[in-house]
Each structure stands twice: as C-alpha cells, then as structure tokens.
Amino acid sequence: MKRTMTALAALAFGFAGAAHAGDVRVMWYSDGVEGEVIQDLLNRFMAENPGINVILDNVAYKVVQEQLPIQLEAGEGPDIARVTNLKAIAQHWLVLTPYLQDAAYWTENFGAQADWMREDGSSAITGFMTQITLTGGFANQTLFEQAGVAMPGAGATWDDWVNASAEVAASQGTAAAFAIDRSGHRISGPNVSYGANYIGADGKPAPVDAGTKEFAAKLVGWVSEGKMLKDTWVAASGSTYRAAADDFINAAIPFYYSGSWQIANLSTKIGDAFDWVAIGSPCGSAGCSGLAGGAAMVAIKYTKNPEEVAKVMEFLAQEDIVREFSERTLFLPAHKAVVAKGGLDWKTDDPNVKAALDMFVTAAGQIEPAAAALPAWKWGSAYYGALVNRISQVMAGELTLDDAYTRIDADIAEQVAQQGG
C-alpha cells in the first residue's frame, strides 16, 4: 500500500480508517511546508517501527472542515486527523490515556491546551497541539515605502491601518487596501477588540452584541468603499473558508489580516520579491486583541488500531520531534518544555521571519480575556460559522446588517438545539 494518497483518491475511499492491522491513516492539511515535514518525520517513524504503515492523506483544509465531521458522524474517518475544530466535535476523539506509556508527560507538556480538544468536564488525553497560532496582520513594507506612506505604529487602530493602506493602494494601483480571511474565527479577535463577548453568563452563546456589530459594520463599509477585497468573502458561500494569502503574496494588497501560521507560507512564496512585516492586531475601543488557537493532531475513536495510533502519536509528541517540527515549519510550539528551553533554531534565511515570530510572541500578551476564553468554548465554531455566512451575505447585498444580526442569533440557536445544548 502506498504511503501517500492524493486528495482525490482519499475522497474516493471516503477516508475510511485503516483497513489492515498495523495501518494508520492520517488526514492532514497544510498552510505552508508542514506537509513535507510531517511526511519526513513519519518516514523516520516507519523506519523505526517496520510493523506500522502510516498513510498520509494530504487534503485541502476545506475537506477537514466540511467533510471530516460528516465522516465522523457516520462512525468513520481516518485514524488520526489534523484539525482546528477542536471542541465542537470532541466526542469523536479517542481517549488515548490508557494506550500511552507516560500519560503524565502529556499532562505536563500539553496540559495547558488539553481542554481545547476534549469534551467539557473530561480529563481525557485525546491528542496534542501541533502548534499554537495567533491571528494578526501583515504589511507589505516595500509598497508602503514606494508610496511614501508611513506604516501606523504601536496602538494604531483598525481605521488607522485601513486608511493608511488605502493611501498605498491608491498610489500603487493595488486591487484593494487590505483583505481579511473569510473566517468567523479571523474576525473574532477584532470583534473582541471592540468589546464583543460571545459567551453568556450561563456558558451558552450570547446574542450578537454592540462590539460585534461595530466591527461587522466596519467590514461591510470597507467592502462598499472598495477598501477591502470583496471577492475573498463573497465568492464563497456558507461557512466556507477562504484565505487571502495569495493576494498578499502577489502584492495585490498592502495589508493582510490572517495569522502566525502564514509565516512559512509567506516566506516560501514571497522570497526576496518584497519586504514584509508582521504588525500584530490593530486596536479597537476595548483592546488590540488577536485570537489564539492552533491545529491539533487528534486520535479518532473509530480506529481499529488504537495501539498503533498511540505509538504514532507518542513519536510525534516527543520533545525533540516537536522542536524539530517547529523549527522546520516556523510554527510556535505548544510543548511546555520546548517553550521553556527556548533557543529554537528556525530553519530559514529570511530576515523577515524572525521579526515576524517575535512580533507574534509580543502580541500574545495582548489577548483580551473574552478572546482567551474562546478556544476551549464548545460553541465557538457555531458562532464563527454563523458570523462569516451572514456577514458575507450583507457584503453581497443579499441582507441588511440588522437582518444579518437576527439570523446569526437564530443560526447559533439552531446549532445549540441540534447538539442538545
């Protein structure tokens, strides 16, 4: 059996779990170079464990977000998956604890984020974060310099950044001033920066509040003014994710809001075409918050080979392997000992990268409490999905903002009801 499959072939097989004893199938998506890195590490694992065959299915992020949950509801799926929707579908993750040689190691080094990927009230070990991420912005320094426009400094607001970027766009003839990924997650840090709080006193979703409305109105206004790249949001439907990374890479926009996971992608694809910088998160009236998160490797409870799955997970969770993966992918590690020891040898010659990583480390200290609570909140994905769907409909002229707010609340309530909340 081949050790890799194309996304098309994987779809044809429906991501069924490993069919043979010793097989472990991994569903994987990539933002940058991490697919190559994980394959190299898995090849090393298989050389050391010849009785276990690991099959890496490289798929689009959309497949993980939209098709994996359907497979899981049918009691199917891969044996391991790399996911960002950690909490909402945690009932499908395998409790690894009884299969691990040293559960205390996992609690010590991955415990800070363990609640992000298990059901409320559970103490199960279900996987580990492959990296910690933080939302934030990037600016094309070269375009700003060519336009003779000063980049806004510390404490600059969203309006400051969009207006400055609009000056650059007018001078340099770019498609728009800026873009933000089509993602409810991506706009949630900015929403919190304007005072939003998604979590009600009872722990369930709160109605759309003034903070969310303020930033949503700004987004819609920037689209109507031609400042924000419209196609990123209106050329897709529902909660479908669309990144605007290629637009930034191609210098079609001078300002891009995404997150730390883009660093390797930008470095690889931009090269020396222009200088770029990470700028943290612009400020609102209540703060300058990004939203922490990340991707996790989780074991799927429908696997037929839990012992082999645990061995793969234990290998990848080793301190030296986590350090190597982080250094080669340019991701911020989630492993406590790796973070504490520091001194990561980032595998890059790009001078933009280290400064960008340093900026995200600094920005992590500016996360507001309402944003810090979201990664471990069960209803986060429901909220994000409703936001992106309805706000994009307003941008497309299909709804008014007031209608969108009503429908967002209704969409979220429906999700809660469907899940027995």
Side-chain angles (χ1 to χ4, degrees):
M1 184 176 293
K2 294 183 179 180
R3 290 181 178 174
T4 60
M5 288 179 65
T6 65
L8 182 61
L11 286 171
F13 281 98
F15 295 115
H20 302 96
D23 280 1
V24 174
R25 187 176 293 278
V26 180
M27 182 188 286
W28 186 268
Y29 77 92
S30 293
D31 291 307
V33 301
E34 66 267 35
E36 302 166 21
V37 176
I38 196 68
Q39 184 65 73
D40 183 36
L41 295 173
L42 290 173
N43 288 343
R44 193 183 309 169
F45 169 83
M46 287 186 284
E48 297 175 7
N49 298 271
I52 302 177
N53 181 41
V54 185
I55 307 152
L56 187 69
D57 295 325
N58 286 290
V59 303
Y61 180 69
K62 180 178 179 180
V63 173
V64 179
Q65 286 293 87
E66 298 180 7
Q67 297 189 31
L68 177 61
I70 296 172
Q71 293 293 320
L72 296 175
E73 285 298 325
E76 300 175 354
D79 301 290
I80 297 171
R82 184 185 190 220
V83 298
T84 57
N85 187 1
L86 307 176
K87 192 78 168 183
I89 52 177
Q91 69 270 23
H92 299 293
W93 308 153
L94 174 70
V95 178
L96 279 167
T97 316
Y99 302 104
L100 299 174
Q101 294 184 38
D102 187 359
Y105 166 86
W106 287 65
T107 300
E108 172 65 19
N109 289 292
F110 300 110
Q113 289 81 36
D115 252 356
W116 295 10
M117 63 190 99
R118 61 191 178 199
E119 295 183 88
D120 287 342
S122 170
S123 60
I125 297 171
T126 60
F128 69 97
M129 303 297 293
T130 58
Q131 80 266 23
I132 292 295
T133 61
L134 181 64
T135 57
F138 300 93
N140 183 322
Q141 185 173 6
T142 299
L143 281 177
F144 272 85
E145 290 173 351
Q146 289 175 176
V149 176
M151 284 193 293
T157 66
W158 273 95
D159 288 318
D160 293 335
W161 268 102
V162 173
N163 291 335
S165 299
E167 289 186 53
V168 176
S171 168
Q172 301 300 301
T174 61
F178 91 109
I180 185 169
D181 291 338
R182 188 184 192 275
S183 163
H185 175 278
R186 215 69 75 246
I187 65 173
S188 291
N191 285 349
V192 168
S193 295
Y194 283 91
N197 184 7
Y198 299 172
I199 306 175
D202 60 356
K204 293 184 179 179
V208 172
D209 60 18
T212 297
K213 291 178 180 179
E214 184 171 359
F215 191 68
K218 286 182 179 293
L219 289 172
V220 172
W222 290 329
V223 165
S224 66
E225 295 164 4
K227 294 177 179 177
M228 177 170 153
L229 200 61
K230 183 177 182 178
D231 283 353
T232 305
W233 279 64
V234 303
S237 61
S239 59
T240 299
Y241 170 76
R242 283 195 67 181
D246 286 345
D247 298 289
F248 184 75
I249 289 164
N250 294 325
I253 47 173
F255 171 42
Y256 172 42
Y257 193 82
S258 186
S260 59
W261 59 91
Q262 293 286 5
I263 291 174
N265 188 37
L266 300 185
S267 178
T268 300
K269 294 181 179 178
I270 294 173
D272 59 1
F274 60 84
D275 290 325
W276 54 274
V277 295
I279 61 96
S281 285
C283 300
S285 54
C288 316
S289 185
L291 181 60
M297 289 196 77
V298 292
I300 309 300
K301 72 178 183 181
Y302 311 115
T303 180
K304 301 297 192 297
N305 300 318
E307 292 85 0
E308 288 81 0
V309 165
K311 287 182 180 179
V312 174
M313 297 287 278
E314 285 182 312
F315 174 84
L316 295 174
Q318 293 177 92
E319 181 179 336
D320 59 332
I321 297 296
V322 171
R323 175 177 287 272
E324 179 181 345
F325 179 83
S326 301
E327 291 175 339
R328 294 173 64 184
T329 59
L330 309 180
F331 286 150
L332 301 175
H335 190 291
K336 181 179 178 180
V338 173
V339 172
K341 293 176 182 177
L344 277 81
D345 180 18
W346 305 111
K347 304 303 181 185
T348 178
D349 296 322
D350 187 341
N352 298 307
V353 167
K354 188 179 186 301
L357 290 166
D358 289 345
M359 172 55 76
F360 276 103
V361 170
T362 299
Q366 297 178 303
I367 299 173
E368 293 292 320
L374 291 176
W377 187 47
K378 179 178 181 179
W379 306 111
S381 293
Y383 220 110
Y384 305 150
L387 285 171
V388 71
N389 181 28
R390 298 307 183 180
I391 292 173
S392 65
Q393 288 182 311
V394 178
M395 293 174 180
E398 298 170 3
L399 292 176
T400 67
L401 272 168
D402 285 341
D403 286 340
Y405 301 144
T406 299
R407 296 195 186 194
I408 288 168
D409 287 338
D411 291 344
I412 296 168
E414 182 180 356
Q415 287 287 314
V416 172
Q418 287 178 353
Q419 297 183 46

